[in-house]
Every structure is written in C-alpha cells, then in structure tokens.
Amino acid sequence: MTSKPMDKNAQKVVPLKERKCLMCKKLATFEMRPFCSKRCADLDLGRWLDGGYRLPTNEAPGDAEAGMEDDEYNQ
Ligand SMILES: [Zn+2]
C-alpha cells in the first residue's frame, strides 16, 4: 500500500505580479494600471505637463533677461 499526500502541495499557487501604483504605491488596478485609480493617473499626468518636461537646472533663475531694458531706458 502506498499513501500519496497530494494535498500537501496542492495550495502552491503562484500569485500574479502585483503592480503597484507609481504615485501612491498602492496596489494598481487592471483598468488604471500602472496606477491604482484615475486620480493617481491624473496626478502623474499633471506632473508631466506641469514641470516634468523641463528639467531643473542649477543656473541662476531670472538673471539672463535682467539687462535687456537698458537700451530703451537710456534716453
Ligand atoms: Zn495610487
């Protein structure tokens, strides 16, 4: 007689890769992936449109156009 312990490894279920929201790190939904909700998707889009396109630089802000008005003001 042989006994087969089949039930021991029966529950070895490999879970699918969980996708986490890029914004808040919650579990992403299938519809809104890679985000958890439309809100987070909009937030990410807003970030791209707002400041994501320009990379921040270390240059001094605003000084480039400082001396432009000198000619007209010199009368
Ligand atoms: Zn989210």
Side-chain angles (χ1 to χ4, degrees), residues 6-75:
M6 293 180 63
D7 291 337
K8 279 218 169 180
N9 293 329
Q11 290 183 338
K12 192 175 182 181
V13 178
V14 179
L16 295 176
K17 283 185 180 177
E18 293 182 349
R19 311 248 173 174
K20 293 189 177 175
C21 177
L22 294 181
M23 291 300 292
C24 67
K25 307 302 182 185
K26 287 182 182 178
L27 200 63
T29 61
F30 182 80
E31 291 181 353
M32 289 300 162
R33 64 183 175 171
F35 305 102
C36 69
S37 62
K38 190 176 189 302
R39 186 176 186 177
C40 281
D42 285 345
L43 279 174
D44 185 70
L45 182 65
R47 259 180 22 173
W48 271 96
L49 294 179
D50 194 27
Y53 196 70
R54 286 186 177 182
L55 293 177
T57 61
N58 289 331
E59 297 176 9
D63 284 344
E65 299 178 8
M68 294 290 287
E69 297 180 6
D70 274 359
D71 283 342
E72 290 187 20
Y73 206 81
N74 191 11
Q75 289 182 351

